[in-house]
Amino acid sequence: MAKEIKLSANKRETSGSSAAKALRKTGWMPAVVYGEKGARSIQINSHNFDLMLKHHASENLIVDLDVEGDAPVKALLREVQHEAVLGHPLHADFIEISMTKKMRVSIAITLVGDPVGVTQQGGILEHVMRSVNVRCLPL
């Protein structure tokens, strides 16, 4: 079983690009949590979020999201927007999940090794599928 990833967040009252830019200058990153009750705007410590991403190979992570004043929830990190030049995270989208309900996710396909037909027989490998959709329980 995978190690639990815990992430603390605060509620965010402001919205818009200028408010997000001001938030980033103070060391926080804007994010949104989508759930059955609608979308909630939150802010996450940029340094902690960056460290969390660097310690995991994939951005499809299940985290224990602890938003101040609310009960902790399990959330799937759905998307991270990165800064174009340096690649720093700018914004994140989370989706609340239930550990007992099946969900549909897209998993990237990574080819490993060198096919004999290409290396020894002069063939050409066409990598047609880049991902596969899977319906499963979160863990």
Side-chain angles (χ1 to χ4, degrees):
M1 189 165 176
K3 180 181 168 186
E4 288 186 12
I5 303 167
K6 296 184 187 229
L7 189 62
S8 298
N10 297 328
K11 293 179 182 177
R12 180 168 49 106
E13 302 298 327
T14 59
S15 63
S17 59
S18 61
K21 189 175 182 179
L23 191 65
R24 288 185 196 103
K25 284 184 180 180
T26 62
W28 293 90
M29 183 182 79
V32 176
V33 179
Y34 297 98
E36 292 179 359
K37 299 176 185 176
R40 293 183 291 164
S41 297
I42 61 171
Q43 60 189 28
I44 301 167
N45 183 291
S46 296
H47 179 70
N48 293 345
F49 185 79
D50 206 19
L51 286 175
M52 180 191 73
L53 285 183
K54 286 182 181 178
H55 287 95
H56 295 87
S58 170
E59 288 188 355
N60 292 327
L61 302 174
I62 296 175
V63 298
D64 289 323
L65 192 59
D66 186 14
V67 180
E68 67 172 346
D70 293 340
V73 295
K74 293 276 189 192
L76 174 69
L77 177 60
R78 177 57 85 186
E79 182 181 2
V80 179
Q81 296 172 5
H82 295 275
E83 194 263 334
V85 177
L86 299 175
H88 299 301
L90 295 176
H91 185 274
D93 289 336
F94 294 91
I95 298 176
E96 282 187 40
I97 59 172
S98 169
M99 300 308 279
T100 58
K101 289 184 183 176
K102 288 187 177 182
M103 58 186 298
R104 187 176 309 270
V105 292
S106 179
I107 299 174
I109 296 174
T110 304
L111 300 179
V112 179
D114 298 320
V116 174
V118 173
T119 58
Q120 297 176 3
Q121 299 171 354
I124 297 173
L125 174 66
E126 290 188 32
H127 188 149
V128 179
M129 289 184 64
R130 304 278 182 211
S131 64
V132 62
N133 291 325
V134 177
R135 189 165 184 260
C136 59
L137 291 173
L139 289 179

